[in-house]
Amino acid sequence: MSYTETIGSRTYRFADLKTLLAKASPQRSGDQLAGVSAASEEERVAAKMALAQVPLRTFLNEALIPYESDEVTRLVIDDHSPQAFAEISHLTVGDFRNWLLSSTTDADALTRITAGLTPEMVAAVSKLMRNQDLIAAARKRPVITRFRNTVGLPGHMSVRLQPNHPTDDVKGIAASMLDGLMYGCGDAMIGINPASDNLAAITKLLLMVDDFRQRYQVPTQSCVLTHVTNTIAAIEKGAPVDLVFQSIAGTEKANSGFGISLALLQEAYEAGLSLKRGTVGNNLMYFETGQGSALSADAHFGVDQQTCEVRAYAVARKFNPFLVNTVVGFIGPEYLYDGKQITRAGLEDHFCGKMLGVPMGCDICYTNHAEADQDDMDNLLTLLGVAGINFIMGIPGADDVMLNYQSTSFHDALYVRDVLGLRRAPEFEAWLESMQITDTRGALLSASTQQPLLEGARDWMGIA
């Protein structure tokens, strides 16, 4: 089905829904690289006007990637709930935007319709929204998950403590981990990106973090971000695996490039569940995504990068994840050129994930060759804090010395919690208070009060 819109004396024609969505997307370098973006701002406006008039039902009848050839499309269609969709089934995309922003649409309403939304519907409405619209709507939709603590409660924001090391040195990782905990970070998880995929090295890191967690009774969860097949192998060998990690994308071909399928993710999910390591819940999958991943794998099929990204959230939703992380600026300026594009993408990803019922966090980041700096990250951090982000990253000095990119620091987490009044996961906050790291308000205590834990941890690490 084709779509048209006239502006003045010029009529714009869009061959199909896939083309219309791409042309309506805000400008970004990845869509320009793929050759799917609007040729002018006027064409982009025309596409938005045409998209606003498309009934939501259309997305159930016009697949962007054929059902027969893509298992993500099959997942989206097969898992769609007509009952949940019924409440909004009469709306157009433009009407849906108005409904989302209405003062009468609350968290209960958004929860009711979640299973009736497809990623394409959510991507479409986001293209009609200003940044403030994305913030206002996402803030209404908390997504709460539990493993050893509770993440995503309204008024709370958690931090993934990322103590990476370029050679996987256990003492170096342990020192960064302790540093982060002393700043009150780590309630989302302690998550290590290993420099090696060697199973013995991965198991060594898992054992180190788990030993520390048990010794000091830290109510958090750990993860070593290796390929899901390595995690399955580690589980089979008895390693203490909490969260199961995998990078995912929004098309079957892109996921094949990652060496995964829905069946393999199901196997990993069941393996994680079999360990029964959660204490307050059993959400245990940790997924990472990023706009441009399908394009970089030549697996986007002409679909714009933001819509491909939202399809990845449908994959995540299938496995009841504890955390989903859009690593928003990590892939590079070929996909998100500058601070403005990174900011917009982060707000889009958070909004779209929340609408699909996914516990969204964001690695607020950029590579050193992007047209972005830490001021841009401060802006996005603040906006996502207002929008109700589930978690952000905590990295020593905001500079990851293993992955070589810039993110957010332990101090950045203190800043956004202070200015917005955000608390940590309640179980973790109670532990921080019991260890005399923070006071009853969640504010850091002086270094002298933290000395007992610090000295004990030094003994544990074998550091004089």
Side-chain angles (χ1 to χ4, degrees):
M1 179 178 175
S2 63
Y3 303 86
T4 63
E5 186 64 42
T6 300
I7 296 180
S9 60
R10 178 172 296 181
T11 297
Y12 290 91
R13 291 180 173 82
F14 308 98
D16 51 26
L17 189 56
K18 175 168 60 178
T19 302
L20 181 63
L21 287 167
K23 301 293 186 183
S25 288
Q27 184 179 19
R28 61 205 58 199
S29 51
D31 289 340
Q32 292 173 315
L33 179 65
V36 301
S37 64
S40 67
E41 285 303 314
E42 184 174 280
E43 184 181 26
R44 183 170 287 111
V45 169
K48 290 176 184 288
M49 292 170 65
L51 181 60
Q53 301 171 52
V54 175
L56 291 179
R57 288 184 178 277
T58 302
F59 293 91
L60 300 175
N61 301 318
E62 189 175 343
L64 307 188
I65 302 173
Y67 181 95
E68 297 76 16
S69 59
D70 187 272
E71 68 173 1
V72 177
T73 300
R74 292 194 290 275
L75 171 67
V76 168
I77 297 302
D78 294 349
D79 282 8
H80 180 259
S81 168
Q83 293 76 24
F85 182 59
E87 186 171 346
I88 56 169
S89 62
H90 61 290
L91 299 178
T92 65
V93 177
D95 294 332
F96 184 39
R97 172 191 175 274
N98 296 338
W99 184 86
L100 288 171
L101 296 173
S102 170
S103 61
T104 60
T105 300
D106 58 12
D108 289 341
L110 292 172
T111 302
R112 282 198 307 271
I113 68 165
T114 298
L117 295 175
T118 69
E120 292 83 1
M121 292 177 193
V122 174
V125 75
S126 75
K127 297 175 193 300
L128 305 184
M129 302 174 88
R130 293 170 56 186
N131 287 1
Q132 68 172 250
D133 299 337
L134 298 172
I135 294 167
R139 186 175 176 84
K140 296 182 184 184
R141 180 50 166 110
V143 180
I144 300 165
T145 56
R146 296 176 174 88
F147 189 74
R148 285 200 191 92
N149 59 28
T150 306
V151 171
L153 292 166
H156 292 66
M157 185 198 73
S158 297
V159 177
R160 171 190 159 187
L161 172 50
Q162 182 171 300
N164 294 344
H165 191 280
T167 63
D168 289 341
D169 180 80
V170 173
K171 286 188 177 180
I173 290 171
S176 292
M177 177 180 70
L178 180 61
D179 188 26
L181 289 169
M182 291 299 182
Y183 279 104
C185 295
D187 51 339
M189 69 165 169
I190 300 168
I192 305 165
N193 297 86
S196 166
D197 274 338
N198 177 275
L199 187 58
I202 291 164
T203 302
K204 188 176 182 179
L205 294 176
L206 286 167
L207 288 168
M208 181 273 290
V209 178
D210 197 59
D211 180 61
F212 182 91
R213 182 191 62 78
Q214 292 194 61
R215 182 180 295 250
Y216 293 100
Q217 299 181 311
V218 191
T220 191
Q221 35 285 319
S222 65
C223 184
V224 174
L225 281 67
T226 186
H227 192 271
V228 69
T229 52
N230 288 335
T231 302
I232 293 172
I235 290 172
E236 290 172 346
K237 290 182 178 297
V241 173
D242 288 343
L243 303 186
V244 177
F245 164 78
Q246 183 57 48
S247 293
I248 57 173
T251 71
E252 180 178 348
K253 183 179 178 182
N255 283 325
S256 294
F258 286 136
I260 62 167
S261 64
L262 296 180
L264 180 59
L265 292 178
Q266 183 66 36
E267 179 185 350
Y269 178 48
E270 292 174 0
L273 286 174
S274 72
L275 298 179
K276 299 179 180 178
R277 290 176 60 83
T279 56
V280 298
N282 60 2
N283 301 113
L284 55 79
M285 299 298 284
Y286 174 57
F287 294 117
E288 286 193 345
T289 68
Q291 288 194 28
S293 58
L295 174 57
S296 66
D298 191 27
H300 62 102
F301 303 99
V303 178
D304 68 271
Q305 68 179 37
Q306 189 249 345
T307 302
C308 280
E309 170 75 1
V310 186
R311 284 168 56 92
Y313 305 154
V315 175
R317 178 170 66 174
K318 178 69 175 176
F319 301 100
N320 303 312
F322 183 65
L323 307 168
V324 176
N325 182 22
T326 170
V327 192
V328 67
F330 184 74
I331 302 181
E334 300 87 352
Y335 307 96
L336 296 169
Y337 178 72
D338 57 15
K340 181 176 182 178
Q341 292 188 13
I342 292 170
T343 297
R344 173 69 189 191
L347 295 175
E348 287 172 347
D349 294 351
H350 177 250
F351 161 80
C352 291
K354 287 290 184 68
M355 291 303 106
L356 291 175
V358 170
M360 288 302 297
C362 183
D363 190 342
I364 301 161
C365 64
Y366 63 102
T367 56
N368 290 313
H369 61 310
E371 290 294 320
D373 59 26
Q374 213 63 37
D375 285 338
D376 295 310
M377 301 306 104
D378 287 348
N379 294 341
L380 180 54
L381 169 64
T382 306
L383 294 172
L384 286 171
V386 174
I389 193 82
N390 277 32
F391 74 100
I392 62 167
M393 311 300 283
I395 296 171
D399 182 8
D400 192 296
V401 296
M402 195 278 280
L403 293 173
N404 294 309
Y405 78 115
Q406 310 304 311
S407 184
T408 48
S409 70
F410 307 145
H411 294 84
D412 294 331
L414 292 176
Y415 146 74
V416 75
R417 282 186 171 132
D418 181 51
V419 297
L420 298 178
L422 300 172
R423 305 301 293 253
R424 300 169 181 87
E427 301 89 345
F428 189 79
E429 196 160 77
W431 176 80
L432 290 173
E433 186 180 344
S434 72
M435 299 301 291
Q436 296 183 291
I437 295 173
T438 63
D439 63 18
T440 57
R441 299 172 295 112
L444 290 183
L445 295 172
S446 66
S448 61
T449 66
Q450 299 178 0
Q451 202 64 27
L453 175 61
L454 186 59
E455 291 299 327
R458 282 174 175 165
D459 292 341
W460 169 78
M461 289 191 293
I463 298 174

